[in-house]
Amino acid sequence: MVELKEFEIADFQQLIDWVDSPEFLLQWGGPAFEFPLTEKQLEKYIENADTLVFKVVERDTGVAIGHISLGRIDRKNKSARIGKVLVGDMKVRGKGIGQQMLNEILKIAFDELHLHRVSLGVFDFNSSAIACYEKAGFIKEGLHRDSSKIGDEYWSLWEMSILEDEFRTH
């Protein structure tokens, strides 16, 4: 079991250590960051008023094992966007931690913030993340073809979302 706790300055180095290449940084953080990830970039990230930033902590041990955020919180349209999803500790990958993280962030979105829609973007080659999001109830809305450039390659991005009633009945 996991819980989400506020991501603080003391957590920066752990996240920096997990993000070890430009490709991984783009996959995790999208175009918001430049490699190498720095404390200065993370300071700016957590100052954003319309974003809730969390470290993911293993309940039994209190050890940080991941990261997730809920950004672009739009109270008028009752929507937000999940981003920066990362199970950072290699030892716990493939054990359902992603599902638990999503469930916790969706509870915040729908139960605490009373939102109607939560979206996310995921690169089309990240089949394990896509499967995790679909299992949580997210639906593919469309493919943004060749939307990000990394080196000489272009990556395509699936746009996915879940609505409040889909979360409640899932």
Side-chain angles (χ1 to χ4, degrees):
M1 293 297 289
V2 300
E3 60 183 320
L4 304 184
K5 293 192 172 184
E6 183 180 356
F7 182 71
E8 302 169 319
I9 292 171
D11 304 311
F12 284 6
Q13 192 57 52
Q14 175 68 74
L15 183 58
I16 289 167
D17 291 346
W18 283 333
V19 178
D20 61 0
S21 72
E23 293 80 10
F24 190 81
L25 180 61
L26 179 60
Q27 196 172 345
W28 168 73
F33 300 103
E34 289 184 23
F35 190 81
L37 188 58
T38 63
E39 290 191 8
K40 187 170 185 162
Q41 291 179 77
L42 292 174
E43 285 171 12
K44 187 177 176 191
Y45 166 50
I46 65 171
E47 288 172 0
N48 192 336
D50 72 347
T51 301
L52 301 175
V53 183
F54 300 100
K55 63 182 171 184
V56 181
V57 176
E58 206 169 31
R59 222 176 240 152
D60 295 342
T61 64
V63 173
I65 56 171
H67 185 92
I68 195 166
S69 70
L70 187 66
R72 297 188 202 168
I73 298 169
D74 178 344
R75 299 201 186 265
K76 179 180 182 280
N77 292 302
K78 299 180 77 172
S79 65
R81 188 165 182 87
I82 291 175
K84 319 298 185 281
V85 180
L86 171 64
V87 179
D89 186 337
M90 301 295 253
K91 296 186 297 290
V92 298
R93 285 193 183 163
K95 296 185 177 176
I97 300 298
Q99 284 299 137
Q100 293 175 41
M101 291 166 52
L102 285 172
N103 194 42
E104 293 302 311
I105 200 108
L106 290 172
K107 282 185 203 171
I108 292 168
F110 294 123
D111 295 341
E112 294 177 27
L113 300 176
H114 307 290
L115 300 179
H116 174 70
R117 179 181 192 275
V118 175
S119 64
L120 58 80
V122 58
F123 289 111
D124 66 344
F125 58 81
N126 194 344
S127 54
S128 60
I130 292 167
C132 179
Y133 299 142
E134 287 179 332
K135 189 173 179 184
F138 282 82
I139 295 168
K140 287 178 178 171
E141 295 182 330
L143 184 66
H144 296 267
R145 299 178 309 141
D146 290 357
S147 61
S148 295
K149 188 174 190 304
I150 183 82
D152 292 332
E153 286 187 315
Y154 287 94
W155 291 356
S156 297
L157 183 89
W158 278 109
E159 184 67 24
M160 301 180 78
S161 73
I162 185 170
L163 303 178
E164 181 183 11
D165 62 333
E166 294 165 344
F167 172 72
R168 302 263 178 246
T169 58
H170 187 74

